[in-house]
Amino acid sequence: MGNMNIYIGNLSLGITEEDLRKEFSRFGQVAAVTMMNDQHFGNGQATGYGYVEMPSNNEGCSAIAGMHGKILHGREITAIEAMPLSHDTPKGQYNREVRQGRWGKRSATA
């Protein structure tokens, strides 16, 4: 049993970390809630997505099943398992391969 990180999208700009913690805690323990904003690129406004980390994979799966498509603050949210960052991909390779349309395809030399 490992931690599950859940991506939450299409959030109302008025929703808070505490709102998400309350909603997701109905499915189990919530280890962390992170609301994303553009503080590094602009004025710090909310961007409409965030992450909820749950220490139990089973509870995380239950939370996804119960929360995906739910209306929160007037918006239908998306809840899916967040994909982990790969430590095998050299820095910059992902962006380069996405731009070249190669991400996810095996090269002939691999």
Side-chain angles (χ1 to χ4, degrees):
M1 279 205 197
N3 285 1
M4 179 178 282
N5 197 20
I6 304 167
Y7 166 84
I8 313 300
N10 200 36
L11 292 171
S12 164
L13 298 182
I15 202 161
T16 66
E17 287 183 8
E18 188 55 39
D19 293 333
L20 281 182
R21 183 177 298 280
K22 181 179 175 185
E23 291 291 331
F24 278 81
S25 67
R26 294 184 302 143
F27 300 95
Q29 184 180 357
V30 174
V33 176
T34 305
M35 300 290 293
M36 304 307 292
N37 62 47
D38 71 350
Q39 68 184 355
H40 301 291
F41 305 108
N43 61 7
Q45 275 191 305
T47 56
Y49 73 99
Y51 296 91
V52 173
E53 184 179 342
M54 300 184 79
S56 164
N57 197 42
N58 290 337
E59 291 174 356
C61 288
S62 293
I64 289 171
M67 295 299 292
H68 184 74
K70 182 174 178 160
I71 306 295
L72 288 181
H73 291 244
R75 298 186 77 172
E76 184 177 329
I77 67 165
T78 300
I80 59 173
E81 184 174 359
M83 300 307 292
L85 293 175
S86 172
H87 296 290
D88 298 333
T89 304
K91 189 174 183 178
Q93 181 176 345
Y94 172 79
N95 288 331
R96 184 170 51 256
E97 290 189 3
V98 167
R99 283 194 306 269
Q100 295 171 354
R102 295 189 323 218
W103 187 253
K105 297 179 183 175
R106 297 234 182 246
S107 70
T109 59

